Amino acid sequence: MGRVTTTDRRTALLAGAGLVAGGALAAGCATSGSAAAPAATHASAGGPAPAARATPLTAPAPRAFPQQPAQITHGPRDHPRIALTFHGQGDPEIATALLTEAEKHGAHVTVLAVGTWLDTHPEMARRILDGGHDLGNHTQRHIAVNTLSEADALAEITGCADRLKRLTGSIGTWFRPSRAPAASPLVQRLAHRVGYPHVLSYDVDSLDFTSPGAPAVTRKVLAEVRNGSVVSMHFGYADTVAALPAVLEELDRRGLRAVTTTELLS
């Protein structure tokens, strides 16, 4: 994917989200640093959102998959399906642009939301679920959960679970630890205690949080993805916005369908 094409894609997507080209973008969910939240909430950014519901939203509860381990890194390798998973934090306009782009391709994704992000942008829970995507828990404050005491780690997991329950009626379908690709045995046990039968890890890391440029993100994902892969990506990064159309187009060309993690494992 050439630089001109990347620029055109990024400009089109950001314009669709109502962002000014070249403006500051809030950092997403990286392994270091913290995300800056925009001052205002934008409930309808990124083009037409699904129609608002007249009744409170009710989201699916976590499910146990008996054939899967307690910590899942990928799905079945014998079906041409993959899961794109996004760490949910950062500018909601960029998040909405990414969701809208996925939906244009008939793709559904999995969003692991940070509790403080939901506090600031509660409308994003409905936007994600109304788009047919999975919504899960990525801890309350996105700190290094594996390094915390048992009480503090439990508070991080339950804090986000409580916010998801209040907003959607469910604690979310998945839990993913923050600032670590996999949960420690303690965090895994705590997540199970809160109500998550599995911890969701991944086998493909896009490294988009390092801001390597959209072509590098695209190459990294497409070089490693295969049947059953769970791909880690992030909201809040311009490289991810610019890379997603090319990733989805190549997945389509290969016959790999991007589905929610729940569908990947079903």
Side-chain angles (χ1 to χ4, degrees), residues 205-223 233 239-240 243-244 247:
D205 190 347
S206 70
L207 298 179
D208 56 352
F209 62 88
T210 67
S211 298
V217 172
T218 302
R219 286 193 301 270
K220 181 75 163 58
V221 172
L222 295 178
M233 305 183 83
D239 290 347
T240 314
L244 188 60
V247 168

Side-chain angles (χ1 to χ4, degrees), residues 13 33 40 43 65 86 89 101 118 138 160 169 191 197 202-203 217 219-220 237 239 245:
L13 280 171
F65 294 89
F86 289 85
Q89 194 177 22
E101 184 66 21
L118 294 173
H138 196 39
C160 187
Y202 46 87
D203 65 326
V217 172
R219 286 193 301 270
K220 181 75 163 58
Y237 289 87
D239 290 347

Side-chain angles (χ1 to χ4, degrees), residues 41-73:
T41 297
H42 305 275
S44 60
R53 296 175 185 269
T55 56
L57 185 65
T58 300
R63 283 178 54 187
F65 294 89
Q67 303 305 314
Q68 294 295 329
Q71 190 147 217
I72 295 170
T73 57

